[in-house]
Amino acid sequence: MSKTISGFSKLSKAKKIEWIVSTYFANNESAKRILEQYWNSDKKIQQLHDEFIENTISNYYLPFGVAPNFLINGKLHTIPMAIEESSVVAAASKSAKFWLDRGGFKTKVISTTKIGQVHFMYFGNPDNLKAYFSSIKHKLLQDVKPITKNMEKRGGGVIDIELRDKTHDIKGYYQLHVSFETLDAMGANFINSCLEQFAKTFKNMALEFDDFSEEEKNIQIVMSILSNYVPDCLVRAEVSCKVEDLNEDDDISPEEFASKFIQAVNIAEVEPYRAVTHNKGIMNGIDAVVLATGNDFRAVEAGIHAFASRNGTYSSLTHAKVENGIFYFWLEIPLALGTVGGLTGLHPLVKLALELLHHPSAKELMEIVAVAGLAQNFAALKSLTTTGIQKGHMKMHLMNILNQFEASDFEKATIIDYFKTHTVSHSAVVEAISKLRE
Ligand code: MEV
């Protein structure tokens, strides 16, 4: 039976586990054993994980894989990916290999501006507010100097502050809409600290602005927070080759392949039901690299899906065409990533992932992540428009089914060998295991 508890976060880890297992589990010992099984034997590493969040009772493992052979702007990369879905790394590797022989991936960071907003209410004369904003803008920038000093030394900082009138949406609603350059940091803490200082200065200085009436002096700050919508922090990744060089498959001509592939992309451009799945496949690649490199995949997800709907209908993030006999396939996405700060200097596997990528700048990481998304989409569409997705998926899923049945090494080897020439389905695998065990 569930029950409430107060002061849980103050309990020791052992006491927390004791409470959890005795409250929620029929078999206390087994639940405790599973939680403890995932503790790290290195006490320092475990303490690091314990301290990432509140109330850590165990660690949640995801496979950390790598996809080699990614040629990006002429430079080879092995891309780290943290993901549980069986076919994703295999698909990325396959795509990388395919494009390795066709000139590789070309990328370009288009822009790197991030946004934060102070949302506030003001019910006076709009012209007085505008005059106040103009008079105070310099002071706003002055007051955040202690926060922006270091970032400015490296070439970043606050780009601009605008006053935005949102009163047509909500009575009395205005914003300070602030743009930032945060260089190699994702910048969430930097941006939020600046915004909170802007809010303070903006509210306090209003009390001294002579042109305001007593009522107008009362600016009500609602909240100050960065935006995860970053349409001006944009990266492009592209592949291209002659149509005739496109296909390795004898069953379909390169021209037919290009045409079916482009039809598949066109469908995702106009049909939201398909676009969501199409983009989900892209996110398989993107999230896996974002996670492996210690970045905030929820922020990336939210920003990218908002971007996918920027024209009013949810649509494909990738596009494709044939022009003068050349097949082009490309992706443009917003990505706010960091290669310094956050987990990047703390989590040993994240540090390793960044070293594997030759210590990229945030811009380089944007390019690598975009490539992972494009590669993933290429692999998915290539399968979908030719063999169908299940052939590859089920082949990769075979090991999961075997593990569900606790197959021995011998059983695994025998059954994997059998399915080299037979179609994998859940029931076919179950039947094969049963036969073997007879
Ligand atoms: C599965 O995780 C992703 C796909 O559904 C993507 C797609 O349909 O394009 C295969």
Side-chain angles (χ1 to χ4, degrees):
M1 250 292 245
S2 293
K3 54 185 179 188
T4 57
I5 179 167
S6 56
F8 183 75
S9 68
K10 309 233 163 39
L11 297 179
S12 69
K13 188 163 154 185
K15 289 270 181 233
K16 282 175 189 158
I17 291 177
E18 205 178 292
W19 184 82
I20 291 284
V21 298
S22 62
T23 308
Y24 290 97
F25 296 90
N27 186 338
N28 297 4
E29 280 315 306
S30 141
K32 197 165 163 221
R33 202 169 44 248
I34 292 170
L35 289 171
E36 289 178 0
Q37 231 168 30
Y38 286 89
W39 286 2
N40 200 293
S41 56
D42 181 330
K43 284 214 163 71
K44 271 176 103 178
I45 300 267
Q46 188 51 54
Q47 192 183 347
L48 193 67
H49 284 71
D50 287 350
E51 290 172 2
F52 281 145
I53 60 166
E54 189 166 273
N55 299 341
T56 307
I57 54 173
S58 190
N59 307 311
Y60 186 95
Y61 288 178
L62 279 181
F64 179 92
V66 290
N69 298 320
F70 271 97
L71 185 64
I72 307 176
N73 301 333
K75 201 169 145 190
L76 269 173
H77 290 274
T78 293
I79 298 188
M81 302 178 97
I83 187 151
E84 87 300 344
E85 191 174 326
S86 26
S87 55
V88 170
V89 176
S93 304
K94 231 173 143 183
S95 237
K97 203 71 193 291
F98 183 95
W99 287 105
L100 180 66
D101 303 331
R102 293 165 178 82
F105 295 80
K106 306 278 183 304
T107 60
K108 191 171 158 22
V109 171
I110 297 166
S111 50
T112 56
T113 302
K114 290 159 191 162
I115 298 296
Q117 296 167 318
V118 177
H119 305 267
F120 67 93
M121 309 306 279
Y122 165 86
F123 296 97
N125 180 337
D127 289 335
N128 289 351
L129 184 67
K130 275 186 216 150
Y132 170 59
F133 174 69
S134 300
S135 76
I136 197 80
K137 192 168 171 180
H138 182 71
K139 168 104 177 117
L140 288 172
L141 292 169
Q142 209 55 41
D143 284 2
V144 290
K145 282 283 172 211
I147 307 167
T148 58
K149 208 170 53 202
N150 284 339
M151 188 68 88
E152 276 171 13
K153 262 191 222 149
R154 286 180 273 128
V158 179
I159 300 170
D160 194 19
I161 314 177
E162 280 173 55
L163 172 69
R164 290 201 171 172
D165 183 338
K166 306 292 284 183
T167 52
H168 53 280
D169 293 325
I170 298 175
K171 189 165 175 269
Y173 172 33
Y174 293 85
Q175 301 167 344
L176 297 181
H177 185 93
V178 191
S179 45
F180 296 88
E181 170 56 62
T182 62
L183 305 171
D184 285 338
M186 191 263 190
N189 283 328
F190 172 77
I191 293 175
N192 289 335
S193 300
C194 288
L195 293 171
E196 289 187 4
Q197 182 58 55
F198 290 144
K200 222 184 259 171
T201 303
F202 197 67
K203 182 168 176 60
N204 290 343
M205 294 306 290
L207 301 173
E208 294 169 27
F209 188 61
D210 290 339
D211 293 351
F212 272 160
S213 68
E214 278 315 302
E215 204 199 17
E216 285 173 333
K217 284 181 180 170
N218 181 23
I219 286 177
Q220 299 157 32
I221 304 293
V222 179
M223 59 189 162
S224 309
I225 187 75
L226 92 166
S227 171
N228 291 124
Y229 186 43
V230 283
D232 291 316
C233 191
L234 211 58
V235 59
R236 179 186 168 99
E238 181 184 305
V239 285
S240 62
C241 71
K242 286 187 189 152
V243 170
E244 67 208 51
D245 293 342
L246 253 186
N247 215 356
E248 316 150 300
D249 197 335
D250 291 340
D251 294 344
I252 179 169
S253 74
E255 290 74 22
E256 196 189 339
F257 171 71
S259 155
K260 277 190 86 174
F261 191 98
I262 292 170
Q263 277 165 358
V265 174
N266 290 345
I267 290 170
E269 284 169 338
V270 300
E271 165 54 57
Y273 279 96
R274 172 58 201 151
V276 171
T277 318
H278 177 98
N279 289 349
K280 186 275 183 187
I282 296 171
M283 299 314 292
N284 278 344
I286 290 177
D287 281 343
V289 190
V290 169
L291 255 180
T293 56
N295 275 278
D296 182 343
F297 66 93
R298 287 86 55 208
V300 165
E301 282 273 349
I304 289 183
H305 293 299
F307 185 76
S309 349
R310 68 195 178 286
N311 297 323
T313 310
Y314 189 90
S315 176
S316 170
L317 294 161
T318 54
H319 306 282
K321 66 176 180 188
V322 169
E323 219 169 72
N324 301 326
I326 311 282
F327 169 83
Y328 296 91
F329 179 48
W330 72 98
L331 160 91
E332 255 178 43
I333 44 166
L335 275 175
L337 300 177
T339 53
V340 297
L343 273 196
T344 58
L346 275 180
H347 196 299
L349 262 180
V350 168
K351 284 202 254 183
L352 182 137
L354 290 169
E355 191 174 340
L356 178 68
L357 291 172
H358 313 290
H359 301 290
S361 63
K363 280 185 178 178
E364 286 164 338
L365 187 59
M366 285 166 78
E367 295 175 323
I368 292 163
V369 169
V371 163
L374 187 69
Q376 208 64 42
N377 192 224
F378 180 78
L381 294 185
K382 188 169 187 292
S383 299
L384 285 167
T385 55
T386 55
T387 56
I389 205 77
Q390 282 311 87
K391 192 173 166 207
H393 261 204
M394 289 311 288
K395 206 168 122 203
M396 294 307 300
H397 191 54
L398 174 60
M399 191 56 84
N400 287 348
I401 306 174
L402 290 171
N403 281 333
Q404 255 168 26
F405 283 86
E406 296 179 355
S408 67
D409 288 346
F410 168 75
E411 288 172 334
K412 282 180 184 170
T414 314
I415 289 173
I416 287 171
D417 197 48
Y418 172 79
F419 280 106
K420 279 184 182 151
T421 49
H422 293 80
T423 306
V424 182
S425 70
H426 193 274
S427 55
V429 178
V430 175
E431 201 182 310
I433 296 175
S434 312
K435 261 204 187 131
L436 192 63
R437 287 183 176 172
E438 270 166 19

